[in-house]
Amino acid sequence: MTHILDTLPLTRLPAPGSYGRTGAPGVTVALREDVAAATLVARRGAGVRLADVVQARFGLTLSDGPRMAGDDALAVLGTGPGRWLTLAQTRPGLAAELASTLDGLAAVTDQSDANILFEINGPRVLDLLAKGATIDLDPEVFRPGDVAVTAIAHVGVTLWRPGEEIAYRALVARSFAPAFARFLIAGGAEYGIGWSRRG
Amino acid sequence: MRYSFLSILKNGLTGQSGWKPAWRDAAPKPSYDVIIVGGGGHGLATAYYLAKVHGIRNVAVIEKGTIGSGNAGRNTTIIRSNYLLPGNEPFYEWSMKLWEGLEQELNYNAMVSQRGVLNLYHSDAQRDAYARRGNAMRLAGVDSELLDREGVRAMYPFLDFDNARFPIQGGLLQRRGGTARHDAVVWGYARGADRLGVDIVQNCEVTGFLREGDAIVGVETTRGPIRAGKVGLAVAGSTSRVARQAGLRLPIESHVLQAFVSEGLKPLIDGVVTFGAGHFYISQSDKGGLVFGGDIDGYNSYAQRGNLPVIEDVCEGGMALMPRIGRLRLLRHWGGIMDMSMDGSPIIDATPVPGLYLNAGWCYGGFKATPASGWCFAHLLAKDEPHETAAAMRLDRFRTGHLIDEKGVGAQPNLH
Amino acid sequence: MSRLAKGGLVDRARALSFSFDGKRYSGLAGDTLASALLANDVKLVGRSFKYHRPRGIVSAGPEEPNALVELRAGARREPNTRATVVELHDGLIAASQNRWPSLGFDLLSVNGLVAPFLGAGFYYKTFMWPASFWEKLYEPVIRRAAGLGRAADGNDPDEYEKANAFCDVLVIGAGPAGLMAAREAARAGARVILADEDFLPGGRLNAESHTVGDEAGHAFAARLAAELASNPKVRIMTRTTVFGVYDGGTYGALERVSDHLAEPAPFAPRQRLWRIVAKRAVLAAGATERPIVFGGNDRPGVMAAGAVQAYANRFGVAAGKNLAVFANNDEAWRAAFDAAQAGIAVSAIVDVRETISPALTAEAERRDIRVIAGGQVIGTRGKTLSGIEVRHGGTTEALAIDTLAVSGGWSPNVHLTCHHGGKPIWNADIAAFVPGATPPGLSVAGAARGHFSLSGALRDGVQAGTAAASDLGFATATPEIPIADDAEPAIAAFWHVADSKGPAFVDPQNDVTAKDVGIAFKEGFRSVELLKRYTTLGMATDQGKTSNVTGLAIMAELTGAGISETGTTIFRPPYTPVAIGALAGHHRGKDFRPTRPTPTHEWAAEQGAVFVETGLWLRAQYFPRPGEADWLTTVNREVSAVRASVGLIDVSTFGKIDLQGPDVGAFLDRVYINGFSALAVGKARYGVMLREDGMVMDDGTTARLAPEHYVMTTTTANAAKVYQHLEFCLQVLWPELDVAIASVSEQWAQIALAGPRSRDVLARVVDDSVDVSNEALPYMGAIIGTVMGGIPARLFRLSFSGELGYEIAVPARHGETLARALMAAGAEFGITPYGTEALGVMRIEKGHVSGNELSGQTTARDLGLGRMASTKKDYVGRTMAGRPGLTDPERPTFVGFKPVDGTSRLRAGAHFLKVGAPADTANDEGYMTSVCYSPTLQHWIGLGLLKRGPERIGERVRAYDPVRGGDIEVEVCAPGFVDPDGEKLRG
Amino acid sequence: MRIPCPYCGARDAHEFAYLGDATVTRPDPAAPDAEDTFFDYVYLRDNPAGPHSEWWYHASGCRQWVRVARDTRTHAILGTELARKPAGDAA
């Protein structure tokens, strides 16, 4: 039998459609490439002032742990000590805006093209993610707003849970995105995967 | 007793009643000319050659447990002399030559089996690196062949040539490489040394050193003090622990290397094959088990066991290279403690402490070195000068910069 | 047929057809292959390893030593599969193994005739004469005779996958103790995983006939399993073997997802490897019945008593028609009673004990079973068993039976407790090894801890589950302990009928006999470790589950040391063998490792590129055109096109690191051998960094985009390593430095444009505001601008090729657009896409070092870069680079080479010898690192490391390449072959 | 092996890259005995059987260098801390 992996592209993202078991999909994946992103690294000794300015200007609390604040319009994810990833769906000038606002407080690096965002939902989403994530994603453990920078199937992933819903976002480096897609489809085929692209 | 067809016939007819102990379980005497600490292959071989080659027979091998219970019994049994650097290659080739006559020398069948060691390459750069190595081997008078893809296919048609992530381009073959039965090597040397008068003292752990001034004149053990003219350490895996008792701090870390064996099978893999695009190498024992391994776990350890990531990494390599082994089963895995030196090569040298000699730093390559290690360490102990093939394996090379770094990864033992 | 008329947990309505050795049979849903074979009166199922003796089914579980089959066929063939754990499916195909030509008539059974000569260790004592015969004659014969089953005929067609699970309490084994432990932990509110290797939870509850309260044991198990299944915090994993205990509470487990099917359902894996991280674990793995060793004990029909009981109770199968029991313990009596209850004729119970519980003897009497107390079986007969010889009270007596149920007592399944080095402890009262030190977080309950009675197991399970939960802070209620109808069974240790008839097998699979243990004793292989290694005792596929204890007990008898003092070998993972494919999961074939496409991959594919693996990346290697004879023709064309006009290549794979902060300059001064703090804004500089041991780690260009903003490039191969090194320097060595770094390797696509017309092409893609003139963007200039109508870009004037060249970085999504725009802009100049081969040719022509030279064995000085090193500052590696061994002028040093005859092909990897010197190590003067055919010079050129190389320009040396038959003379030359003064670069 | 990363929480060891002994400190390169002290720093190790202080880099996580105290006989993790305090703690 030809396995589903043999039918998927190695160097491109898979085409929108259904993969694996037919019927209502157990997992749906939506890709977004239209999200502006920037890393934010606090200057030495400027962490407190940086948090104040971000709070004042963007209304977001910089977490000192792997947590997110904000929403799709503007979110900031803790990815390391004194280090955050900001994401925004409708702010193409995010990095420039941050750089000018936070001059002297943080190093800002545009990453809008560095990653592909995967929105992963559906009733079997946890079963699928368990096939790759070596962290405990139990909804009572990995709570709304939790962020994890981790590795899944040899691919580095920034994974978070935006809200109460059992649904996740995964940010994957552009060149690794096809490999991550292969992981999702190979593991999710038994549940049926609905695959789409947005933005 | 000598082993022969006759001895087997006789014992077969007499209900196997005539066999004698292969070696004496000796009690320690108060004093020896030379004490070898460590009853593994290297220590026993050293004692054997001290007695055989140098006529020094008042020798004890002191072992904290039973002989061969360390790395000698925890390796993947490969023998080869396919090294690159001039500091290593003559030594390993000398070892290979000793392997080639070992069984007749010892009157013990160690199942030395020269079925070839093939290192695969998957890129032009890797091919060039293997060419460099193969040519270095030829310069040292050692056999080597650079195979292309079809040459590899002819030997191992069932490797993944068609769907590989990193396609096989060819391989460096040493036909004289192969495997030997690791336990039998230990037993053969033990029996040989014993017959020449060496005392093999088991369950005797060294707890300290006897000193006179700066010099070491013996060892303290769990079975009492034993004096010696010279003390040689051959305790790879525990070198730092033992050497610390003599006040030495060494360019060595202890790391765990896992090894694996499958259930027994009818013959599948003739020689030794090493994957060049991942951490995996494999051979098949005469009993039919696939014996395989990969990378060290990568962290300091004395625990003789490793963890799943490396187990998975090794099996991923195995499946990438030979996808028909998927349904074969891993029967056992275990870990040995490697003396990882800071440049990936061993040390056979006198130490700054008079009377104390060091045989250490074998990384994951100690088994194949067993005969030459014993030979050269015996030479050093007997003559107080290095054997010509081990002259580069000095302890001070890290200070002087005369490193023997085959892999070129520098002073990071877990990368060697 | 030996299927009983009623009883058993099989589905009598669902018949399943299967074949064994080509013959068709029928079994029932709920059967194992072993129970189905027994139901069909198939008793001979395999041959032993060494003597090829006929063997039958011994057990009803994973400890099976004999009943190994090749399951399935072709590419799905699974050798050495234990028939006792194979769940029967419709259409199952199995074949016996290790026999020729047939199972019934195996020619290699002649080995048995010479068995007297083939004792333990005989291999070591012979086959040495003459030496050359080993590989040619002896070994091939041994190899063919050894082994067991055959590997599959093709690549494994099934998929495997991996998965992770986390829980508070992992319970291993769903027998009585496990079920109770899981129930208590779950009731306390813990997240529980209950894993069992069987397809039916219950363990021995399904095999025995006890009642719990007023419920049949198996009904009790089913009810409890259902209760647990309904709890959302509990996951019951059947067909799942926890095989290993690793660090940090990580357990390896194998779920046999599809092995009970002919082949996996669409999209389903065959097996799934679980990594279970558990805060606590309860090992409730039960116990394994041991044999008693006596002459002829390997004959098909000699079975474990508990197995006979399991086949009757669980599978509704009579293992035989006429049974005797040979035992040293009470449990076996229950097996006899259950067999009798199922309608099997029980001729006798032979118990080595003189004194037996009156309750048992009364029950035997009631069932009209003859009791032979103080008796021993001393021999057997029949191809499959037809009778035994019993010695008792000074006489011997023959009994005609077809099945002998043997029990030497039970060994707790302590395996997992040994995985962190714990040594089991001998408990003489129950004649068994019980767990010693356990891995952190793991406790043991039930029979696995030596509590062999059902009541004991239930009580122990309750306590273990409660303790695990309360240990984790869960509130536990006073537990309710179910009442079972039994007490701890009595046993008298007994191992070996010393003077029995015929070979007495300790390890039947490896054909290790009691006599072999004796040989090991005589020859001094007396410690358990040496015994194991010398005789191969316990090293077969069953890992000595039934033989280890017996073997060492016999050795203990010989040495006179007690079993306690003799000790046991420790069990290593896995508990039962695990398919290699499962440990690999999806990571095989193309998915062995991720494939990283460059931003211009699709464009390059359209251009007909041939791709090459560069680490995880796929890069365009060259772009063949129709009619080109070979790759060299293509590469020559690409190089010539660049040197004559212009070409482009994607260089996005280089590592790119953004550095910001007031201390970046000072930081770079410490990581590079040369200085960067004085680099002007808008300029780039080539830098070399060392490891702390003084060897070159990496090289690349770093540009200063703003006073406090630099961007570094690394080689493709070292991108991650350099980033990690920089973080080490910043976080560990110099935490006071205010430098922030971020990888921008994925953010920016970078395309190199090279050739005399490259400026013309560049000028057409940059926006009007950007001046790329020689004045505005001089050699080693770096500016920020926009291209293609507002796309932000970083423009660097760099060259790897030696030509006028630029690198243009744009956000990665625009990389492909940029490639197309450059192609369009350069069309009139014949712009040519080139690949890594042409890139390599041009850098060799130019004499740049690259990966082949950055071998980790070279110093900056070796590579001719020593003069770059600053003497005015410290930098990583400086001190160690000053060691005599690294500054020795005799070290091979970087130079160029060309063939003296002007035509010979050069080969990288060739070694240099003085002309006329013998080809040996003493004369080895270095080696060729890189070669190419130079279309510019029209001959082969090379780079390499030669002793005192730069002093020997013009000298001839031998390039010796015996592995490819090469031996030519080459002339040493300066490494820059093309435009050595760099005029093109600056033009 | 699970390493409790001070930032990310418990993670499998495969997410980390190992460097080794964290008790050694880069010496003063200007000191007259720098060659000796660097030799010690780069090459000599206590290599204890027991508690060991060592550097692990959380390569697949927060990319922090973590000082891990671990027993080399049992692999038990005794404690972890970041090599560098976060920038928020004003220096």
Side-chain angles (χ1 to χ4, degrees), chain C residues 473-528:
Chain C
F474 292 97
T476 51
T478 308
E480 148 224 346
I481 299 172
I483 306 300
D485 62 347
D486 70 343
E488 291 295 324
I491 183 169
F494 185 85
W495 310 104
H496 173 211
V497 181
D499 39 4
S500 54
K501 299 175 178 174
F505 288 88
V506 182
D507 180 336
Q509 188 181 138
N510 268 355
D511 282 336
V512 179
T513 63
K515 187 180 274 183
D516 290 321
V517 178
I519 295 174
F521 169 76
K522 286 194 191 80
E523 297 194 289
F525 297 88
R526 295 177 184 184
S527 81
V528 286

Coordinates of all heavy atoms in Angstrom, one line a residue, chain C residues 473-528:
Chain C
G473 N 0.0 13.8 46.4 CA -0.8 14.8 47.1 C -2.3 14.7 46.8 O -3.1 15.5 47.2
F474 N -2.7 13.6 46.2 CA -4.2 13.3 46.1 C -4.7 12.7 47.4 O -4.1 11.9 48.0 CB -4.4 12.3 44.9 CG -4.1 12.9 43.6 CD1 -2.8 12.6 43.0 CD2 -5.0 13.7 42.9 CE1 -2.5 13.1 41.7 CE2 -4.6 14.2 41.7 CZ -3.4 14.0 41.1
A475 N -5.9 13.2 47.7 CA -6.6 12.7 48.9 C -7.1 11.3 48.6 O -7.8 11.1 47.6 CB -7.7 13.6 49.3
T476 N -6.8 10.4 49.4 CA -7.3 9.0 49.2 C -8.2 8.6 50.3 O -8.0 8.9 51.5 CB -6.1 8.0 49.1 OG1 -5.3 8.2 50.3 CG2 -5.3 8.2 47.9
A477 N -9.3 7.9 50.0 CA -10.2 7.4 51.0 C -9.7 6.0 51.5 O -8.8 5.5 51.0 CB -11.6 7.2 50.3
T478 N -10.3 5.6 52.5 CA -10.0 4.3 53.0 C -10.4 3.2 52.0 O -11.5 3.2 51.5 CB -10.8 3.9 54.3 OG1 -10.6 5.0 55.2 CG2 -10.3 2.6 54.9
P479 N -9.4 2.5 51.5 CA -9.7 1.7 50.3 C -10.5 0.4 50.7 O -10.4 0.0 51.9 CB -8.3 1.3 49.8 CG -7.4 1.4 51.0 CD -8.0 2.5 51.9
E480 N -11.2 -0.1 49.8 CA -12.0 -1.3 50.0 C -11.2 -2.4 49.2 O -10.8 -2.2 48.1 CB -13.4 -1.1 49.4 CG -14.1 -2.3 48.8 CD -14.7 -1.9 47.5 OE1 -14.9 -0.7 47.1 OE2 -15.1 -2.9 46.8
I481 N -10.9 -3.4 50.0 CA -10.1 -4.5 49.4 C -11.0 -5.7 49.1 O -11.6 -6.3 50.0 CB -8.9 -4.9 50.3 CG1 -8.0 -3.7 50.6 CG2 -8.2 -6.1 49.7 CD1 -7.0 -3.9 51.6
P482 N -11.1 -6.1 47.8 CA -11.9 -7.2 47.5 C -11.4 -8.5 48.1 O -10.2 -8.6 48.3 CB -11.9 -7.3 46.0 CG -11.2 -6.0 45.5 CD -10.4 -5.5 46.7
I483 N -12.3 -9.4 48.4 CA -11.9 -10.7 49.0 C -11.8 -11.8 48.0 O -12.7 -11.9 47.2 CB -12.9 -11.1 50.1 CG1 -13.2 -9.9 51.1 CG2 -12.5 -12.4 50.8 CD1 -11.9 -9.5 51.9
A484 N -10.7 -12.4 48.0 CA -10.6 -13.6 47.1 C -10.5 -14.9 47.9 O -10.3 -14.8 49.1 CB -9.4 -13.4 46.2
D485 N -10.6 -16.0 47.2 CA -10.8 -17.3 47.8 C -9.5 -18.1 48.0 O -9.5 -19.3 47.9 CB -11.8 -18.1 47.0 CG -11.3 -18.4 45.6 OD1 -10.3 -17.8 45.2 OD2 -11.9 -19.3 44.9
D486 N -8.4 -17.4 48.2 CA -7.2 -18.2 48.3 C -6.2 -17.6 49.3 O -6.5 -16.6 49.9 CB -6.5 -18.3 46.9 CG -5.9 -16.9 46.5 OD1 -6.3 -15.9 47.1 OD2 -5.0 -16.9 45.6
A487 N -5.1 -18.3 49.5 CA -4.1 -17.9 50.4 C -2.7 -18.1 49.7 O -2.7 -18.6 48.6 CB -4.1 -18.8 51.6
E488 N -1.7 -17.6 50.3 CA -0.3 -17.6 49.7 C 0.0 -19.1 49.5 O 0.0 -19.9 50.4 CB 0.7 -16.9 50.5 CG 0.6 -15.4 50.6 CD 0.8 -14.7 49.2 OE1 1.6 -15.2 48.4 OE2 0.1 -13.7 48.9
P489 N 0.4 -19.5 48.3 CA 0.8 -20.9 48.0 C 2.1 -21.3 48.7 O 3.0 -20.5 48.8 CB 0.8 -21.0 46.5 CG 1.2 -19.6 46.1 CD 0.6 -18.7 47.1
A490 N 2.2 -22.5 49.1 CA 3.5 -23.0 49.6 C 4.4 -23.6 48.5 O 3.9 -24.1 47.5 CB 3.2 -24.1 50.7
I491 N 5.6 -23.5 48.8 CA 6.6 -24.1 47.8 C 7.8 -24.6 48.5 O 8.2 -24.1 49.6 CB 7.0 -22.9 46.8 CG1 8.0 -23.5 45.7 CG2 7.7 -21.8 47.5 CD1 8.2 -22.5 44.6
A492 N 8.4 -25.6 47.9 CA 9.8 -26.1 48.4 C 10.7 -25.9 47.2 O 10.5 -26.5 46.1 CB 9.7 -27.5 48.8
A493 N 11.8 -25.1 47.4 CA 12.7 -24.9 46.3 C 13.2 -26.2 45.7 O 13.6 -27.1 46.5 CB 13.8 -24.0 46.8
F494 N 13.1 -26.4 44.4 CA 13.6 -27.6 43.8 C 13.8 -27.2 42.3 O 13.0 -26.6 41.6 CB 12.5 -28.7 43.9 CG 13.1 -30.0 43.3 CD1 13.9 -30.8 44.1 CD2 12.8 -30.3 41.9 CE1 14.4 -32.0 43.5 CE2 13.4 -31.5 41.4 CZ 14.1 -32.4 42.2
W495 N 15.0 -27.5 41.8 CA 15.4 -27.0 40.5 C 15.7 -28.1 39.5 O 15.4 -27.9 38.3 CB 16.7 -26.2 40.7 CG 16.6 -25.2 41.8 CD1 17.2 -25.3 43.0 CD2 15.8 -24.0 41.7 NE1 16.8 -24.2 43.8 CE2 16.0 -23.4 43.0 CE3 15.0 -23.4 40.8 CZ2 15.3 -22.2 43.3 CZ3 14.4 -22.2 41.1 CH2 14.6 -21.6 42.4
H496 N 16.2 -29.2 39.9 CA 16.9 -30.0 38.9 C 16.9 -31.4 39.4 O 17.3 -31.8 40.5 CB 18.4 -29.5 38.8 CG 19.2 -30.3 38.0 ND1 20.6 -30.5 38.2 CD2 19.0 -31.1 36.9 CE1 21.1 -31.3 37.4 NE2 20.2 -31.7 36.5
V497 N 16.3 -32.3 38.6 CA 16.4 -33.8 38.9 C 17.7 -34.3 38.5 O 18.0 -34.4 37.3 CB 15.2 -34.5 38.1 CG1 15.3 -36.0 38.5 CG2 13.9 -33.9 38.5
A498 N 18.6 -34.5 39.5 CA 20.0 -34.6 39.2 C 20.3 -35.8 38.3 O 21.1 -35.6 37.3 CB 20.8 -34.6 40.5
D499 N 19.8 -36.9 38.6 CA 20.2 -38.1 37.8 C 19.1 -38.6 37.0 O 18.5 -39.7 37.2 CB 20.8 -39.2 38.8 CG 19.9 -39.2 40.1 OD1 18.9 -38.5 40.1 OD2 20.3 -40.0 41.0
S500 N 18.7 -37.8 36.1 CA 17.6 -38.2 35.2 C 18.2 -38.6 33.8 O 19.4 -38.6 33.6 CB 16.6 -37.0 35.0 OG 17.3 -35.8 34.6
K501 N 17.3 -39.0 32.9 CA 17.8 -39.6 31.7 C 17.6 -38.7 30.5 O 16.6 -38.1 30.2 CB 16.9 -40.9 31.4 CG 17.0 -41.9 32.5 CD 16.1 -43.1 32.2 CE 16.2 -44.1 33.3 NZ 15.2 -45.2 33.2
G502 N 18.8 -38.5 29.8 CA 18.7 -37.7 28.6 C 19.1 -36.2 28.9 O 19.2 -35.9 30.1
P503 N 19.3 -35.5 27.8 CA 19.6 -34.1 28.1 C 18.5 -33.3 28.9 O 17.4 -33.5 28.5 CB 19.9 -33.5 26.7 CG 19.2 -34.4 25.8 CD 19.2 -35.8 26.4
A504 N 19.0 -32.6 29.9 CA 18.0 -31.8 30.7 C 18.3 -30.4 30.4 O 19.3 -29.8 30.7 CB 18.3 -32.2 32.2
F505 N 17.3 -29.8 29.8 CA 17.5 -28.4 29.3 C 17.1 -27.3 30.3 O 16.0 -27.4 30.9 CB 16.6 -28.2 28.0 CG 17.2 -28.9 26.9 CD1 16.9 -30.2 26.6 CD2 18.2 -28.3 26.1 CE1 17.4 -30.9 25.6 CE2 18.8 -29.0 25.0 CZ 18.4 -30.3 24.8
V506 N 18.1 -26.4 30.5 CA 17.8 -25.3 31.4 C 17.3 -24.2 30.5 O 16.3 -23.5 30.9 CB 19.2 -24.8 32.1 CG1 18.9 -23.7 33.0 CG2 19.8 -26.0 32.8
D507 N 18.0 -23.9 29.4 CA 17.5 -22.9 28.5 C 17.2 -23.6 27.2 O 18.1 -23.9 26.4 CB 18.6 -21.8 28.3 CG 18.2 -20.7 27.3 OD1 17.3 -21.0 26.4 OD2 18.7 -19.6 27.3
P508 N 15.9 -24.0 27.0 CA 15.6 -24.8 25.8 C 15.9 -24.2 24.5 O 16.2 -24.8 23.5 CB 14.2 -25.2 26.0 CG 13.6 -24.2 27.0 CD 14.8 -23.7 27.8
Q509 N 15.7 -22.9 24.4 CA 15.8 -22.2 23.1 C 17.3 -22.2 22.7 O 17.6 -22.5 21.5 CB 15.3 -20.8 23.1 CG 15.3 -20.2 21.7 CD 14.8 -18.8 21.7 OE1 15.3 -18.0 21.0 NE2 13.7 -18.5 22.4
N510 N 18.2 -21.9 23.6 CA 19.6 -21.9 23.2 C 20.2 -23.3 23.5 O 21.4 -23.4 23.4 CB 20.3 -20.8 24.0 CG 20.4 -19.5 23.2 OD1 20.0 -19.5 22.1 ND2 20.9 -18.5 23.9
D511 N 19.4 -24.3 23.8 CA 19.9 -25.6 24.1 C 21.0 -25.7 25.1 O 22.1 -26.3 24.9 CB 20.5 -26.2 22.7 CG 19.3 -26.7 21.8 OD1 18.2 -27.0 22.4 OD2 19.5 -26.8 20.6
V512 N 20.8 -25.0 26.2 CA 21.8 -25.0 27.3 C 21.3 -26.0 28.3 O 20.1 -25.9 28.8 CB 22.0 -23.7 28.0 CG1 22.9 -23.8 29.1 CG2 22.4 -22.6 27.0
T513 N 22.1 -27.1 28.6 CA 21.6 -28.1 29.5 C 22.3 -28.0 30.9 O 23.2 -27.2 31.0 CB 22.1 -29.5 28.9 OG1 23.5 -29.5 28.9 CG2 21.5 -29.7 27.5
A514 N 21.8 -28.8 31.8 CA 22.3 -28.8 33.1 C 23.8 -29.2 33.0 O 24.7 -28.7 33.8 CB 21.6 -29.8 34.0
K515 N 24.1 -30.1 32.1 CA 25.5 -30.5 31.9 C 26.4 -29.3 31.5 O 27.5 -29.2 31.9 CB 25.6 -31.6 30.9 CG 27.0 -32.3 30.8 CD 27.0 -33.4 29.8 CE 26.6 -34.7 30.3 NZ 26.7 -35.8 29.3
D516 N 25.8 -28.5 30.6 CA 26.6 -27.3 30.2 C 26.9 -26.4 31.4 O 28.0 -25.8 31.5 CB 25.8 -26.5 29.2 CG 25.7 -27.2 27.8 OD1 26.7 -27.8 27.5 OD2 24.7 -27.1 27.2
V517 N 26.0 -26.3 32.3 CA 26.2 -25.5 33.5 C 27.4 -26.1 34.3 O 28.3 -25.5 34.8 CB 25.0 -25.4 34.4 CG1 25.3 -24.6 35.7 CG2 23.8 -24.7 33.6
G518 N 27.4 -27.5 34.2 CA 28.5 -28.2 34.9 C 29.8 -27.9 34.2 O 30.9 -27.8 34.9
I519 N 29.9 -27.8 32.9 CA 31.1 -27.5 32.2 C 31.6 -26.1 32.6 O 32.8 -25.9 32.9 CB 30.9 -27.6 30.7 CG1 30.6 -29.0 30.2 CG2 32.2 -27.1 30.0 CD1 30.3 -29.1 28.7
A520 N 30.7 -25.2 32.6 CA 31.0 -23.8 33.0 C 31.6 -23.8 34.4 O 32.6 -23.1 34.7 CB 29.8 -22.9 32.9
F521 N 31.0 -24.6 35.3 CA 31.5 -24.7 36.7 C 33.0 -25.2 36.7 O 33.8 -24.7 37.3 CB 30.6 -25.6 37.5 CG 31.2 -26.0 38.8 CD1 31.2 -25.1 39.9 CD2 31.7 -27.3 39.0 CE1 31.7 -25.4 41.1 CE2 32.2 -27.6 40.3 CZ 32.2 -26.7 41.3
K522 N 33.2 -26.3 35.9 CA 34.5 -26.9 35.9 C 35.6 -26.0 35.4 O 36.7 -26.0 35.8 CB 34.5 -28.2 35.1 CG 33.8 -29.4 35.7 CD 34.1 -30.7 35.0 CE 33.3 -31.8 35.4 NZ 31.9 -31.8 34.8
E523 N 35.2 -25.2 34.4 CA 36.2 -24.3 33.7 C 36.3 -23.0 34.4 O 37.0 -22.1 33.9 CB 35.8 -24.2 32.2 CG 35.9 -25.5 31.5 CD 35.8 -25.4 30.0 OE1 34.8 -25.0 29.5 OE2 36.9 -25.6 29.4
G524 N 35.6 -22.8 35.4 CA 35.7 -21.6 36.2 C 34.8 -20.4 35.8 O 35.0 -19.3 36.3
F525 N 33.9 -20.7 34.9 CA 32.9 -19.6 34.6 C 31.7 -19.7 35.5 O 30.6 -20.1 35.2 CB 32.5 -19.8 33.1 CG 33.6 -19.7 32.1 CD1 34.3 -20.8 31.8 CD2 33.9 -18.5 31.5 CE1 35.4 -20.7 30.8 CE2 34.9 -18.3 30.6 CZ 35.7 -19.4 30.3
R526 N 32.0 -19.3 36.8 CA 31.1 -19.6 37.8 C 30.2 -18.4 38.2 O 29.1 -18.6 38.8 CB 31.8 -20.1 39.1 CG 32.5 -21.4 38.8 CD 33.3 -21.9 40.0 NE 34.0 -23.1 39.6 CZ 34.7 -23.8 40.4 NH1 34.9 -23.4 41.7 NH2 35.3 -24.9 40.0
S527 N 30.7 -17.2 38.0 CA 29.8 -16.0 38.4 C 28.6 -16.0 37.4 O 28.8 -16.5 36.2 CB 30.6 -14.7 38.3 OG 30.7 -14.3 37.0
V528 N 27.5 -15.5 37.8 CA 26.3 -15.6 36.9 C 26.6 -14.9 35.6 O 26.1 -15.4 34.5 CB 25.1 -14.9 37.6 CG1 24.6 -15.8 38.7 CG2 25.4 -13.5 38.1

